[in-house]
Amino acid sequence: DSPVTLKILQNWVPKVSHYFDKEHYTYVGHQIVIQESIEHFGAVVWPGALALSQYLESNQEQLNLKDKKVLEIGAGTGLVSIVACILGAYVTATDLPEVLENLSYNISRNIQNMDMHKPEVRKLVWGESLNEDFPASTYHYDFLLATDVVYHQAALEPLLATMVYFCKPGTVLLWANKFRFSTDYEFLEKLSNIFNTTILAEFPESNVKLLKA
């Protein structure tokens, strides 16, 4: 099957905000308010997060997250984890220590009045202490989510090792990324050598590809 060609819909709610760093979105019938931070790359909503959130919302039958165990790596602002939570998943949102405070804040404020499984927020440094922090005998995820995680050359090997570690038989990896550099395609080639990889959707205007592995 050839990938679907889509536009990233501007799902912003037209609402005056008194904070320059808060963005308002609507997914799955819920308004989501995201606080961004200009201090960290991980605390900004990147195009891949919008693309994956939109795809999860639009393909709920094909990608049924209800009561599934979902791990997001490089969760950033938490937008994708919040959408997965609204769709009924048991979500663990992970990122670097310096991002966790803003990530926790966004998840708490958007989930607090909803009757759903509250996501867990945890530190995860790619490639480090994986079996100590997430023992393979205990942790098994149905879905591994990643958006715009391919950006820094030095992080690519640990990132791939982390994806391999968490993808057990039956795990589906959904990775959305804005393709900017040749290294992005090299990472895709390495991923395709390990996993059965297909492109689910492409967003040509923003150079985002959404892959399933």
Side-chain angles (χ1 to χ4, degrees), residues 139-187:
Y139 292 92
H140 183 281
Y141 296 97
D142 301 297
F143 289 90
L144 180 64
L145 307 181
T147 62
D148 283 312
V149 288
V150 174
Y151 56 87
H152 198 295
Q153 180 71 33
L156 297 188
E157 288 301 326
L159 171 62
L160 187 60
T162 300
M163 288 176 166
V164 170
Y165 178 81
F166 283 112
C167 284
K168 305 291 186 286
T171 303
V172 174
L173 166 64
L174 296 173
W175 167 44
N177 218 91
K178 183 180 176 90
F179 278 68
R180 306 168 177 85
F181 310 113
S182 60
T183 48
D184 302 341
Y185 291 93
E186 289 165 15
F187 184 86

Short mmCIF file of all heavy atoms in Angstrom, two decimals, residues 139-187:
data_model
loop_
_atom_site.label_atom_id
_atom_site.label_comp_id
_atom_site.label_asym_id
_atom_site.label_seq_id
_atom_site.Cartn_x
_atom_site.Cartn_y
_atom_site.Cartn_z
N TYR A 139 8.49 -5.03 31.73
CA TYR A 139 7.89 -3.99 30.88
C TYR A 139 7.72 -4.48 29.45
O TYR A 139 8.69 -4.83 28.78
CB TYR A 139 8.75 -2.72 30.90
CG TYR A 139 8.74 -2.03 32.25
CD1 TYR A 139 9.70 -2.34 33.20
CD2 TYR A 139 7.76 -1.10 32.57
CE1 TYR A 139 9.69 -1.72 34.44
CE2 TYR A 139 7.74 -0.47 33.81
CZ TYR A 139 8.71 -0.79 34.74
OH TYR A 139 8.69 -0.17 35.96
N HIS A 140 6.48 -4.50 29.02
CA HIS A 140 6.17 -4.84 27.62
C HIS A 140 5.13 -3.85 27.12
O HIS A 140 4.11 -3.63 27.76
CB HIS A 140 5.63 -6.26 27.50
CG HIS A 140 5.37 -6.67 26.08
ND1 HIS A 140 4.24 -6.28 25.38
CD2 HIS A 140 6.12 -7.40 25.20
CE1 HIS A 140 4.30 -6.76 24.15
NE2 HIS A 140 5.43 -7.44 24.01
N TYR A 141 5.41 -3.25 25.98
CA TYR A 141 4.51 -2.22 25.44
C TYR A 141 3.91 -2.67 24.11
O TYR A 141 4.58 -3.30 23.29
CB TYR A 141 5.28 -0.90 25.25
CG TYR A 141 5.77 -0.34 26.56
CD1 TYR A 141 7.08 -0.57 26.98
CD2 TYR A 141 4.92 0.39 27.39
CE1 TYR A 141 7.53 -0.07 28.20
CE2 TYR A 141 5.36 0.89 28.61
CZ TYR A 141 6.67 0.66 29.01
OH TYR A 141 7.10 1.15 30.22
N ASP A 142 2.62 -2.34 23.94
CA ASP A 142 1.94 -2.63 22.67
C ASP A 142 2.37 -1.65 21.59
O ASP A 142 2.48 -2.02 20.41
CB ASP A 142 0.42 -2.55 22.86
CG ASP A 142 -0.08 -3.53 23.91
OD1 ASP A 142 0.09 -4.74 23.70
OD2 ASP A 142 -0.61 -3.08 24.94
N PHE A 143 2.58 -0.39 21.98
CA PHE A 143 2.98 0.64 21.03
C PHE A 143 4.15 1.43 21.59
O PHE A 143 4.18 1.76 22.79
CB PHE A 143 1.82 1.62 20.75
CG PHE A 143 0.72 1.03 19.92
CD1 PHE A 143 -0.36 0.39 20.53
CD2 PHE A 143 0.73 1.12 18.54
CE1 PHE A 143 -1.39 -0.15 19.78
CE2 PHE A 143 -0.29 0.59 17.78
CZ PHE A 143 -1.35 -0.06 18.39
N LEU A 144 5.09 1.75 20.70
CA LEU A 144 6.19 2.66 21.02
C LEU A 144 6.02 3.86 20.09
O LEU A 144 5.97 3.71 18.87
CB LEU A 144 7.53 1.97 20.76
CG LEU A 144 8.81 2.78 21.05
CD1 LEU A 144 8.90 3.10 22.53
CD2 LEU A 144 10.04 2.00 20.59
N LEU A 145 5.88 5.06 20.67
CA LEU A 145 5.64 6.28 19.90
C LEU A 145 6.87 7.17 19.95
O LEU A 145 7.49 7.33 21.00
CB LEU A 145 4.43 7.04 20.46
CG LEU A 145 3.13 6.26 20.63
CD1 LEU A 145 2.02 7.17 21.16
CD2 LEU A 145 2.69 5.60 19.32
N ALA A 146 7.20 7.77 18.81
CA ALA A 146 8.36 8.67 18.75
C ALA A 146 8.10 9.72 17.68
O ALA A 146 7.69 9.39 16.57
CB ALA A 146 9.62 7.87 18.42
N THR A 147 8.31 10.99 18.02
CA THR A 147 8.12 12.06 17.03
C THR A 147 9.31 13.01 17.06
O THR A 147 9.74 13.47 18.11
CB THR A 147 6.82 12.86 17.30
OG1 THR A 147 6.90 13.50 18.58
CG2 THR A 147 5.60 11.96 17.25
N ASP A 148 9.82 13.29 15.86
CA ASP A 148 10.96 14.21 15.69
C ASP A 148 12.10 13.90 16.67
O ASP A 148 12.67 14.81 17.28
CB ASP A 148 10.49 15.66 15.80
CG ASP A 148 9.79 16.11 14.51
OD1 ASP A 148 10.33 15.86 13.42
OD2 ASP A 148 8.69 16.68 14.60
N VAL A 149 12.41 12.61 16.78
CA VAL A 149 13.50 12.20 17.67
C VAL A 149 14.83 12.12 16.92
O VAL A 149 15.89 12.04 17.55
CB VAL A 149 13.20 10.83 18.32
CG1 VAL A 149 12.11 10.97 19.38
CG2 VAL A 149 12.80 9.78 17.28
N VAL A 150 14.78 12.13 15.59
CA VAL A 150 16.01 12.07 14.80
C VAL A 150 16.42 13.48 14.43
O VAL A 150 15.83 14.11 13.54
CB VAL A 150 15.81 11.21 13.53
CG1 VAL A 150 17.05 11.25 12.64
CG2 VAL A 150 15.51 9.76 13.93
N TYR A 151 17.39 14.01 15.16
CA TYR A 151 17.84 15.38 14.88
C TYR A 151 19.30 15.60 15.24
O TYR A 151 19.96 16.44 14.67
CB TYR A 151 16.97 16.42 15.62
CG TYR A 151 16.91 16.22 17.11
CD1 TYR A 151 17.85 16.77 17.95
CD2 TYR A 151 15.89 15.45 17.68
CE1 TYR A 151 17.80 16.58 19.32
CE2 TYR A 151 15.83 15.25 19.05
CZ TYR A 151 16.79 15.81 19.86
OH TYR A 151 16.74 15.60 21.22
N HIS A 152 19.82 14.82 16.17
CA HIS A 152 21.19 15.05 16.62
C HIS A 152 22.03 13.81 16.30
O HIS A 152 21.73 12.72 16.77
CB HIS A 152 21.21 15.33 18.12
CG HIS A 152 22.48 15.99 18.59
ND1 HIS A 152 23.71 15.35 18.53
CD2 HIS A 152 22.72 17.21 19.12
CE1 HIS A 152 24.64 16.15 19.01
NE2 HIS A 152 24.07 17.29 19.37
N GLN A 153 23.07 14.01 15.52
CA GLN A 153 23.89 12.89 15.03
C GLN A 153 24.36 11.99 16.16
O GLN A 153 24.30 10.76 16.07
CB GLN A 153 25.10 13.45 14.26
CG GLN A 153 26.04 12.39 13.70
CD GLN A 153 25.46 11.62 12.55
OE1 GLN A 153 24.70 12.16 11.77
NE2 GLN A 153 25.81 10.35 12.44
N ALA A 154 24.81 12.59 17.26
CA ALA A 154 25.39 11.80 18.36
C ALA A 154 24.36 10.92 19.06
O ALA A 154 24.72 9.95 19.73
CB ALA A 154 26.04 12.74 19.38
N ALA A 155 23.08 11.25 18.90
CA ALA A 155 22.03 10.51 19.62
C ALA A 155 21.45 9.36 18.81
O ALA A 155 20.65 8.58 19.33
CB ALA A 155 20.91 11.47 20.01
N LEU A 156 21.87 9.20 17.55
CA LEU A 156 21.17 8.25 16.67
C LEU A 156 21.44 6.80 17.05
O LEU A 156 20.50 5.98 17.03
CB LEU A 156 21.56 8.51 15.21
CG LEU A 156 21.14 9.89 14.68
CD1 LEU A 156 21.39 9.99 13.19
CD2 LEU A 156 19.67 10.19 15.00
N GLU A 157 22.66 6.46 17.39
CA GLU A 157 22.94 5.07 17.78
C GLU A 157 22.22 4.70 19.08
O GLU A 157 21.57 3.65 19.17
CB GLU A 157 24.45 4.83 17.90
CG GLU A 157 25.17 4.79 16.56
CD GLU A 157 24.64 3.71 15.61
OE1 GLU A 157 24.24 2.63 16.10
OE2 GLU A 157 24.62 3.95 14.39
N PRO A 158 22.30 5.55 20.14
CA PRO A 158 21.53 5.24 21.35
C PRO A 158 20.03 5.20 21.10
O PRO A 158 19.31 4.39 21.71
CB PRO A 158 21.88 6.39 22.30
CG PRO A 158 23.17 6.94 21.80
CD PRO A 158 23.17 6.73 20.32
N LEU A 159 19.53 6.04 20.19
CA LEU A 159 18.10 6.04 19.87
C LEU A 159 17.70 4.71 19.24
O LEU A 159 16.69 4.09 19.64
CB LEU A 159 17.77 7.19 18.93
CG LEU A 159 16.36 7.20 18.33
CD1 LEU A 159 15.30 7.31 19.41
CD2 LEU A 159 16.21 8.34 17.32
N LEU A 160 18.48 4.26 18.27
CA LEU A 160 18.16 2.99 17.62
C LEU A 160 18.22 1.83 18.60
O LEU A 160 17.34 0.96 18.62
CB LEU A 160 19.13 2.76 16.45
CG LEU A 160 18.84 1.55 15.56
CD1 LEU A 160 17.47 1.68 14.90
CD2 LEU A 160 19.93 1.39 14.49
N ALA A 161 19.24 1.85 19.47
CA ALA A 161 19.36 0.80 20.49
C ALA A 161 18.15 0.80 21.42
O ALA A 161 17.67 -0.25 21.84
CB ALA A 161 20.64 1.00 21.29
N THR A 162 17.64 2.00 21.73
CA THR A 162 16.47 2.12 22.61
C THR A 162 15.22 1.58 21.92
O THR A 162 14.42 0.87 22.54
CB THR A 162 16.27 3.59 23.01
OG1 THR A 162 17.44 4.04 23.70
CG2 THR A 162 15.07 3.76 23.92
N MET A 163 15.05 1.90 20.65
CA MET A 163 13.91 1.37 19.90
C MET A 163 13.95 -0.15 19.84
O MET A 163 12.94 -0.83 20.05
CB MET A 163 13.90 1.95 18.49
CG MET A 163 13.52 3.42 18.42
SD MET A 163 13.63 4.07 16.72
CE MET A 163 12.74 5.64 16.88
N VAL A 164 15.14 -0.70 19.57
CA VAL A 164 15.30 -2.16 19.50
C VAL A 164 14.99 -2.78 20.85
O VAL A 164 14.32 -3.82 20.94
CB VAL A 164 16.72 -2.52 19.03
CG1 VAL A 164 16.98 -4.02 19.19
CG2 VAL A 164 16.92 -2.10 17.57
N TYR A 165 15.45 -2.14 21.92
CA TYR A 165 15.24 -2.70 23.26
C TYR A 165 13.76 -2.82 23.60
O TYR A 165 13.31 -3.84 24.14
CB TYR A 165 15.95 -1.82 24.31
CG TYR A 165 15.73 -2.31 25.73
CD1 TYR A 165 16.48 -3.36 26.24
CD2 TYR A 165 14.75 -1.75 26.54
CE1 TYR A 165 16.28 -3.84 27.52
CE2 TYR A 165 14.53 -2.21 27.83
CZ TYR A 165 15.30 -3.26 28.31
OH TYR A 165 15.08 -3.74 29.58
N PHE A 166 12.99 -1.78 23.29
CA PHE A 166 11.59 -1.76 23.72
C PHE A 166 10.66 -2.49 22.75
O PHE A 166 9.51 -2.79 23.11
CB PHE A 166 11.10 -0.32 23.90
CG PHE A 166 11.57 0.31 25.18
CD1 PHE A 166 12.49 1.35 25.18
CD2 PHE A 166 11.11 -0.15 26.41
CE1 PHE A 166 12.93 1.94 26.35
CE2 PHE A 166 11.54 0.42 27.60
CZ PHE A 166 12.46 1.46 27.57
N CYS A 167 11.11 -2.76 21.54
CA CYS A 167 10.24 -3.43 20.56
C CYS A 167 10.36 -4.94 20.68
O CYS A 167 11.22 -5.57 20.07
CB CYS A 167 10.57 -2.96 19.14
SG CYS A 167 9.93 -1.32 18.78
N LYS A 168 9.49 -5.50 21.49
CA LYS A 168 9.39 -6.95 21.62
C LYS A 168 8.45 -7.48 20.53
O LYS A 168 7.75 -6.70 19.88
CB LYS A 168 8.83 -7.30 23.01
CG LYS A 168 9.61 -6.71 24.17
CD LYS A 168 10.97 -7.36 24.31
CE LYS A 168 11.71 -6.90 25.57
NZ LYS A 168 12.24 -5.54 25.47
N PRO A 169 8.39 -8.80 20.32
CA PRO A 169 7.41 -9.33 19.37
C PRO A 169 6.00 -8.83 19.69
O PRO A 169 5.56 -8.92 20.83
CB PRO A 169 7.52 -10.85 19.55
CG PRO A 169 8.92 -11.05 20.01
CD PRO A 169 9.24 -9.86 20.89
N GLY A 170 5.33 -8.25 18.71
CA GLY A 170 3.99 -7.72 18.91
C GLY A 170 3.95 -6.23 19.15
O GLY A 170 2.88 -5.62 19.09
N THR A 171 5.10 -5.62 19.43
CA THR A 171 5.14 -4.17 19.64
C THR A 171 5.11 -3.45 18.28
O THR A 171 5.82 -3.84 17.36
CB THR A 171 6.41 -3.74 20.40
OG1 THR A 171 6.46 -4.44 21.64
CG2 THR A 171 6.42 -2.24 20.66
N VAL A 172 4.31 -2.39 18.19
CA VAL A 172 4.26 -1.56 16.98
C VAL A 172 4.94 -0.23 17.28
O VAL A 172 4.58 0.45 18.24
CB VAL A 172 2.80 -1.33 16.53
CG1 VAL A 172 2.74 -0.34 15.37
CG2 VAL A 172 2.14 -2.65 16.14
N LEU A 173 5.92 0.11 16.46
CA LEU A 173 6.59 1.40 16.57
C LEU A 173 5.95 2.37 15.57
O LEU A 173 5.83 2.06 14.38
CB LEU A 173 8.08 1.24 16.25
CG LEU A 173 8.89 2.52 15.97
CD1 LEU A 173 8.93 3.42 17.21
CD2 LEU A 173 10.31 2.18 15.52
N LEU A 174 5.52 3.52 16.07
CA LEU A 174 5.01 4.59 15.21
C LEU A 174 5.95 5.77 15.36
O LEU A 174 6.10 6.32 16.46
CB LEU A 174 3.58 4.98 15.62
CG LEU A 174 2.51 3.90 15.46
CD1 LEU A 174 1.19 4.38 16.06
CD2 LEU A 174 2.33 3.50 14.00
N TRP A 175 6.61 6.13 14.26
CA TRP A 175 7.63 7.18 14.29
C TRP A 175 7.31 8.23 13.24
O TRP A 175 7.21 7.91 12.05
CB TRP A 175 9.01 6.56 14.04
CG TRP A 175 10.09 7.56 13.73
CD1 TRP A 175 10.34 8.74 14.37
CD2 TRP A 175 11.08 7.46 12.70
NE1 TRP A 175 11.42 9.38 13.79
CE2 TRP A 175 11.89 8.62 12.77
CE3 TRP A 175 11.36 6.50 11.72
CZ2 TRP A 175 12.94 8.84 11.88
CZ3 TRP A 175 12.41 6.72 10.85
CH2 TRP A 175 13.20 7.89 10.94
N ALA A 176 7.09 9.46 13.68
CA ALA A 176 6.85 10.58 12.76
C ALA A 176 8.01 11.55 12.87
O ALA A 176 8.42 11.91 13.97
CB ALA A 176 5.54 11.29 13.10
N ASN A 177 8.54 11.98 11.72
CA ASN A 177 9.72 12.83 11.75
C ASN A 177 9.74 13.78 10.56
O ASN A 177 9.36 13.40 9.45
CB ASN A 177 11.00 11.98 11.72
CG ASN A 177 12.11 12.53 12.60
OD1 ASN A 177 12.20 12.16 13.78
ND2 ASN A 177 12.95 13.42 12.07
N LYS A 178 10.16 14.99 10.80
CA LYS A 178 10.44 15.92 9.71
C LYS A 178 11.80 15.55 9.15
O LYS A 178 12.80 15.55 9.87
CB LYS A 178 10.44 17.36 10.23
CG LYS A 178 10.65 18.42 9.15
CD LYS A 178 10.64 19.81 9.77
CE LYS A 178 10.94 20.88 8.73
NZ LYS A 178 9.73 21.38 8.08
N PHE A 179 11.83 15.21 7.86
CA PHE A 179 13.08 14.79 7.24
C PHE A 179 13.79 16.02 6.69
O PHE A 179 13.32 16.67 5.75
CB PHE A 179 12.80 13.76 6.14
CG PHE A 179 12.64 12.37 6.69
CD1 PHE A 179 11.54 12.04 7.48
CD2 PHE A 179 13.59 11.40 6.45
CE1 PHE A 179 11.39 10.77 8.02
CE2 PHE A 179 13.46 10.12 6.99
CZ PHE A 179 12.36 9.80 7.77
N ARG A 180 14.94 16.33 7.29
CA ARG A 180 15.68 17.54 6.95
C ARG A 180 17.03 17.23 6.30
O ARG A 180 17.45 17.92 5.39
CB ARG A 180 15.96 18.37 8.21
CG ARG A 180 14.74 18.72 9.05
CD ARG A 180 15.19 19.28 10.40
NE ARG A 180 14.10 19.71 11.25
CZ ARG A 180 13.41 18.91 12.06
NH1 ARG A 180 13.69 17.63 12.11
NH2 ARG A 180 12.44 19.39 12.82
N PHE A 181 17.71 16.19 6.80
CA PHE A 181 19.10 15.96 6.44
C PHE A 181 19.29 14.54 5.93
O PHE A 181 18.45 13.66 6.15
CB PHE A 181 20.01 16.20 7.65
CG PHE A 181 19.75 17.50 8.35
CD1 PHE A 181 19.24 17.54 9.64
CD2 PHE A 181 20.03 18.71 7.71
CE1 PHE A 181 19.00 18.74 10.28
CE2 PHE A 181 19.79 19.92 8.35
CZ PHE A 181 19.27 19.94 9.63
N SER A 182 20.44 14.30 5.30
CA SER A 182 20.76 12.96 4.81
C SER A 182 20.83 11.95 5.95
O SER A 182 20.50 10.78 5.79
CB SER A 182 22.08 12.97 4.04
OG SER A 182 23.14 13.40 4.88
N THR A 183 21.24 12.43 7.14
CA THR A 183 21.32 11.52 8.30
C THR A 183 19.94 10.98 8.69
O THR A 183 19.84 9.88 9.21
CB THR A 183 21.95 12.23 9.51
OG1 THR A 183 21.31 13.50 9.68
CG2 THR A 183 23.42 12.44 9.32
N ASP A 184 18.88 11.74 8.41
CA ASP A 184 17.53 11.26 8.70
C ASP A 184 17.22 10.02 7.85
O ASP A 184 16.66 9.04 8.34
CB ASP A 184 16.49 12.35 8.41
CG ASP A 184 16.75 13.61 9.21
OD1 ASP A 184 17.47 13.54 10.23
OD2 ASP A 184 16.24 14.68 8.82
N TYR A 185 17.60 10.08 6.58
CA TYR A 185 17.36 8.96 5.68
C TYR A 185 18.28 7.78 6.01
O TYR A 185 17.88 6.62 5.86
CB TYR A 185 17.53 9.39 4.22
CG TYR A 185 16.45 10.34 3.76
CD1 TYR A 185 16.62 11.72 3.84
CD2 TYR A 185 15.24 9.85 3.26
CE1 TYR A 185 15.63 12.59 3.44
CE2 TYR A 185 14.23 10.72 2.86
CZ TYR A 185 14.43 12.08 2.95
OH TYR A 185 13.44 12.95 2.55
N GLU A 186 19.48 8.08 6.46
CA GLU A 186 20.39 7.01 6.88
C GLU A 186 19.82 6.27 8.09
O GLU A 186 19.93 5.04 8.20
CB GLU A 186 21.77 7.59 7.21
CG GLU A 186 22.53 8.07 5.98
CD GLU A 186 23.72 8.95 6.34
OE1 GLU A 186 24.13 8.97 7.53
OE2 GLU A 186 24.23 9.64 5.43
N PHE A 187 19.23 7.03 9.02
CA PHE A 187 18.61 6.40 10.19
C PHE A 187 17.43 5.52 9.74
O PHE A 187 17.27 4.40 10.23
CB PHE A 187 18.12 7.45 11.19
CG PHE A 187 17.55 6.85 12.45
CD1 PHE A 187 18.39 6.51 13.51
CD2 PHE A 187 16.20 6.60 12.58
CE1 PHE A 187 17.87 5.94 14.67
CE2 PHE A 187 15.67 6.02 13.72
CZ PHE A 187 16.52 5.70 14.78
#
